[in-house]
Amino acid sequence: MAQKKHLAAKLKNYLREDKIQLWKPPYTDSNKEAGVELKDLARQYSARLKYNTNEIEALLEEIRCKTIERGTGNDAYKATGVATLEVALPPRMGKARKGVLETKLIITGKELRSQIAQAYGFEENCIKIIINKKQLELGKTLEEQGVTHNVKVMVLELKLSEEETRRAVREEEMQHEEETVKKKEMHRKMQRTKKGLEILAKRDDSLDSDTMPYLDIANQTGRKISIPQQAKKALLLAMGYHEKGRALLKIKEYAMALPFLLDADKHFCECGSDLLTTVDNYAVLQLDIVWCYFHLGQLDCLEDAEKKLLAAHDCFRKCYGENHERLVTIKGSFGREKALFLRLYLLQGISHYHNGREKEAAEHLQKAHGLFRELCIDPEKVNSLLLLGFSAQEARLGLRACDGNVDRAASLISNQREEKEQIRREERAKRRKRLEDINALKSMGYSERAAREALHQAKGNLELAVKVMLDNPQLLLPEDDSPLPGNPFQVPQESINQLVYMGFDAGAAEQALRVFKGNVQLAVQTLAHYGGSLPDDLQASSESTSPSGESSSSQGSSTGSAGTSAASADEDMESSQAMEDMEADALNEVLKDIPEHEEDYLDLTLEEEETVINEYLSYMQHLPAESK
């Protein structure tokens, strides 16, 4: 397949250079059949390329037919508005992986998915459509999503395995049922991941990570990076989707991984160009997307593959330095990051080969091969580090960073462990200090929620946190500020008298005590801060919780509705518990795929890369001498 693409690219380049239009005479006659001159052209190009004439003629005829089909489609589109879509199907379709679908562009994404499923025999809910590197949105029309005539459509089938042989009817039915369950579970997994990332992106370090996990962003040394909240949310979503996609890439679930990687790309683009040049995550994502398309056999659908690889190279250069000097300054070496450059050069070599550029392909493939030899690790050296108590991942990364020197690798890993432990100690100390401050504010009558939020806004300054809460009275409202109907909070007269004794107006005292559910400390602090009366927004809250004549009169008949209220409360508790369980599942779906080691993305085994390098070097070696 790769060799055929290479040869077709060479022929297209020759046709452009020679300004030959195969869809016009003398290469196509009035009946749109191939002219005699096509055979002469095939002989000319076969001599030039040192390839079999029949093979060249067949490829030229294929190119000619496609150009005629496209021209016919263009005429039909102008006349009727019916667009032609080039459909790329999953690998199991074999030779029938390319198709054409005609449709109006005013239909919705859901209708297009239904047409594709019907035309090619898929289960509608088990395919995803990728157009212009984005997942097709089912609720919008094709026009609204920028779909145009002659666009390429990529179909991903979300299933774990294929039935290779026919079995008994019952076995086939059972297998179909099992695959349906697996597909549904995959869909649920994708939804849980999205939900979990949305929850985590909203959380911040004002929470206790032991009970409420949250994500933070660190630099290449493991220190937290301070980022504006909006950009931080976009970056967390991007990195979260990327990690999920990477986890699926590791188990070679490319069709499942691609939607997550494309979602990550979308969120990275919301971060701003300045931020993307300070971290290498965006460059790694571009490599992962192109790698995924390559393994799906759909590089043709990624028309800007070379642009993505160029963006990755540019991002590495800005992040690491022109000659990796920034990386060496920060980490002491760039041996670990060489694995990323190996994959970059390999994908660039593949792209050049598929586009008929042998010289550039050979150059990049040789670069990749040279790095592969350099990064190959002696298993005995890995075992030596394992005996010292290091993990296999630490051993691989350490040896690559130290050019295979075991002693230096052991020293590096030990130092890294100590640095990480130091960062953990500092984080634990910050957490202890934050909890102490929260408890101090709680002892003053403030709620834990208000204390956390205020300390976060005040960047840990306790005195400023008190001012933040008083200046933002909505923070002071109790979390359960929604009393049951017919059961308003009754303010004790003794508490009102206590505030009156301090000099406050009785009406204002009662109002404040009702808002704060009898908390005398909060009522006093708020009234004192606002000159003896509540601010407008708290007064509105007070009015909503005031007992009315209707509520008072209903108290006498409360016995009749007690059973209903209790049942409603039980239902609310069950609903709340179900919601908590769903959130916990969503969070676990995300957290389980976030690696413990911050350099996990650099720990490539290079087994796949070795196979692909050898495959494409073999293609290069078998090219005719004149074609190289």
Side-chain angles (χ1 to χ4, degrees):
M1 179 63 75
Q3 292 165 302
K4 182 180 178 181
K5 286 182 180 178
H6 167 77
L7 189 55
K10 291 288 293 182
L11 288 173
K12 289 175 184 177
N13 289 340
Y14 287 163
L15 290 169
R16 278 192 291 269
E17 290 170 6
D18 298 338
K19 298 181 180 179
I20 292 175
Q21 298 175 321
L22 292 180
W23 63 95
K24 292 183 177 181
Y27 306 103
T28 298
D29 61 24
S30 57
N31 297 319
K32 296 185 178 179
E33 298 293 333
V36 178
E37 286 77 0
L38 191 70
K39 290 184 179 293
D40 294 336
L41 187 65
R43 283 192 288 270
Q44 178 186 335
Y45 284 164
S46 65
R48 190 171 172 183
L49 290 166
K50 302 298 181 185
Y51 269 97
N52 179 275
T53 303
N54 291 335
E55 188 177 350
I56 298 296
E57 185 179 352
L59 269 176
L60 285 173
E61 174 63 7
E62 187 177 317
I63 295 169
R64 189 190 71 85
C65 289
K66 282 184 179 178
T67 57
I68 291 174
E69 284 176 11
R70 178 165 289 220
T72 303
N74 291 341
D75 294 339
Y77 179 61
K78 291 175 184 176
T80 65
V82 175
T84 300
L85 307 182
E86 298 180 23
V87 184
L89 301 166
R92 74 174 179 87
M93 304 298 287
K95 293 182 179 180
R97 290 188 64 185
K98 301 290 183 182
V100 173
L101 190 73
E102 294 183 344
T103 183
K104 293 272 190 178
L105 298 179
I106 57 173
I107 67 170
T108 64
K110 189 176 191 311
E111 289 172 315
L112 176 63
R113 185 181 70 171
S114 179
Q115 287 183 18
I116 290 174
Q118 188 174 2
Y120 298 104
F122 296 114
E123 293 180 41
E124 185 175 337
N125 292 328
C126 298
I127 59 173
K128 281 194 176 293
I129 311 298
I130 307 293
I131 301 179
N132 296 330
K133 300 160 294 181
K134 297 177 183 176
Q135 287 191 61
L136 190 68
E137 295 186 43
L138 301 182
K140 293 183 178 180
T141 67
L142 303 187
E143 280 183 332
E144 290 173 334
Q145 299 181 67
V147 178
T148 57
H149 174 57
N150 283 332
V151 77
K152 291 181 179 177
V153 175
M154 181 177 175
V155 180
L156 299 178
E157 188 175 20
L158 306 181
K159 58 193 301 181
L160 288 178
S161 60
E162 295 294 338
E163 179 64 31
E164 295 178 352
T165 58
R166 292 191 174 185
R167 302 176 186 273
V169 174
R170 180 56 188 158
E171 287 181 350
E172 288 183 353
E173 290 175 354
M174 290 176 64
Q175 182 181 2
H176 177 72
E177 291 172 4
E178 289 174 2
E179 288 184 351
T180 300
V181 170
K182 288 176 181 177
K183 291 171 186 176
K184 287 180 179 177
E185 174 56 28
M186 284 184 178
H187 179 72
R188 286 195 291 267
K189 183 180 291 188
M190 294 179 78
Q191 297 306 312
R192 286 198 301 269
T193 298
K194 292 186 177 183
K195 178 67 176 175
L197 284 171
E198 287 168 1
I199 293 170
L200 288 168
K202 292 176 183 176
R203 293 181 176 178
D204 53 48
D205 58 6
S206 67
L207 301 169
D208 180 2
S209 61
D210 292 332
T211 57
M212 295 280 280
Y214 61 87
L215 298 179
D216 232 323
I217 299 170
N219 60 19
Q220 291 164 329
T221 63
R223 302 280 178 184
K224 287 183 182 179
I225 301 174
S226 179
I227 299 173
Q229 186 57 37
Q230 188 172 355
K232 180 179 179 181
K233 181 180 178 181
L235 188 55
L236 284 172
L237 285 170
M239 294 171 70
Y241 281 121
H242 190 187
E243 288 298 346
K244 188 67 180 180
R246 286 186 60 250
L248 290 163
L249 284 180
K250 286 180 181 179
I251 57 175
K252 301 183 181 181
E253 286 290 349
Y254 302 109
M256 281 289 293
L258 185 57
F260 288 112
L261 297 176
L262 294 177
D263 278 344
D265 197 33
K266 179 181 72 175
H267 287 292
F268 265 122
C269 292
E270 297 170 1
C271 295
S273 57
D274 291 341
L275 182 59
L276 297 185
T277 59
T278 62
V279 292
D280 60 5
N281 305 71
Y282 183 67
V284 176
L285 174 63
Q286 303 311 299
L287 295 184
D288 286 340
I289 290 174
V290 180
W291 187 249
C292 199
Y293 270 97
F294 167 70
H295 275 286
L296 288 167
Q298 302 288 9
L299 272 181
D300 289 347
C301 292
L302 188 63
E303 293 179 343
D304 65 344
E306 292 186 336
K307 183 179 176 182
K308 282 191 171 295
L309 295 175
L310 187 62
H313 189 274
D314 191 49
C315 185
F316 283 140
R317 182 178 56 79
K318 291 178 180 177
C319 184
Y320 297 160
E322 194 69 46
N323 298 302
H324 310 110
E325 61 274 7
R326 285 183 59 194
L327 194 61
V328 173
T329 301
I330 294 170
K331 301 175 74 173
S333 76
F334 65 95
R336 287 158 289 201
E337 282 71 16
K338 286 180 181 178
L340 300 177
F341 284 92
L342 184 155
R343 183 171 283 187
L344 172 63
Y345 296 146
L346 173 56
L347 289 170
Q348 287 177 323
I350 291 169
S351 179
H352 285 305
Y353 179 79
H354 285 190
N355 285 286
R357 298 187 290 266
E358 297 89 351
K359 183 179 178 182
E360 293 86 347
E363 179 186 341
H364 285 87
L365 289 171
Q366 287 299 336
K367 277 187 180 180
H369 191 230
L371 280 177
F372 173 76
R373 288 199 302 267
E374 189 177 331
L375 293 172
C376 277
I377 298 171
D378 184 349
E380 290 299 320
K381 293 182 178 180
V382 174
N383 288 334
S384 298
L385 291 171
L386 292 177
L387 292 173
L388 295 175
F390 302 125
S391 69
Q393 185 175 64
E394 286 177 319
R396 284 191 296 270
L397 291 170
L399 286 167
R400 283 176 182 163
C402 298
D403 299 321
N405 187 299
V406 175
D407 292 335
R408 284 172 52 208
S411 177
L412 175 67
I413 299 169
S414 298
N415 291 339
Q416 286 178 329
R417 283 188 171 186
E418 180 53 39
E419 288 170 7
K420 289 177 189 175
E421 185 54 39
Q422 177 60 30
I423 292 172
R424 291 192 192 101
R425 285 195 292 267
E426 292 173 5
E427 290 299 322
R428 283 195 293 268
K430 288 179 184 177
R431 197 176 302 134
R432 278 197 302 271
K433 175 67 167 56
R434 186 165 64 244
L435 290 175
E436 288 170 2
D437 290 343
I438 288 170
N439 289 331
L441 291 172
K442 286 171 67 177
S443 70
M444 296 164 63
Y446 299 111
S447 70
E448 182 171 332
R449 175 186 62 85
R452 287 188 184 281
E453 178 61 27
L455 281 167
H456 179 64
Q457 291 186 30
K459 294 182 169 50
N461 186 309
L462 191 59
E463 292 182 8
L464 185 56
V466 174
K467 186 176 184 305
V468 166
M469 284 189 284
L470 292 173
D471 288 343
N472 298 275
Q474 288 296 333
L475 280 176
L476 303 176
L477 289 174
E479 292 183 67
D480 58 342
D481 190 37
S482 52
L484 290 172
N487 186 30
F489 180 77
Q490 300 296 321
V491 180
Q493 186 61 44
E494 181 183 348
S495 298
I496 296 174
N497 294 340
Q498 190 176 348
L499 266 68
V500 171
Y501 180 78
M502 295 180 186
F504 296 111
D505 175 75
E510 182 179 1
Q511 202 176 37
L513 287 165
R514 181 172 293 112
V515 168
F516 297 119
K517 304 291 178 67
N519 189 315
V520 175
Q521 286 177 295
L522 284 184
V524 170
Q525 290 180 48
T526 306
L527 289 173
H529 186 74
Y530 286 95
S533 62
L534 290 178
D536 292 342
D537 47 359
L538 288 189
Q539 287 185 25
S541 175
S542 170
E543 290 168 6
S544 68
T545 59
S546 297
S548 63
E550 181 184 347
S551 63
S552 299
S553 64
S554 68
Q555 290 180 14
S557 61
S558 62
T559 306
S561 61
T564 304
S565 298
S568 176
D570 288 342
E571 289 175 4
D572 288 345
M573 288 181 64
E574 290 177 7
S575 176
S576 176
Q577 184 60 50
M579 185 65 71
E580 288 181 12
D581 291 343
M582 287 176 63
E583 286 197 359
D585 288 343
L587 291 173
N588 289 334
E589 190 67 52
V590 175
L591 295 173
K592 71 179 184 180
D593 288 322
I594 295 178
E596 292 184 13
H597 201 293
E598 69 277 5
E599 291 185 334
D600 179 81
Y601 71 102
L602 300 174
D603 184 30
L604 303 178
T605 64
L606 303 182
E607 292 174 359
E608 286 183 282
E609 285 80 357
E610 180 184 16
T611 301
V612 177
I613 288 170
N614 290 335
E615 177 186 352
Y616 276 82
L617 284 177
S618 172
Y619 296 156
M620 295 299 298
Q621 290 169 0
H622 288 87
L623 286 175
E626 286 76 7
S627 181
K628 291 183 181 179

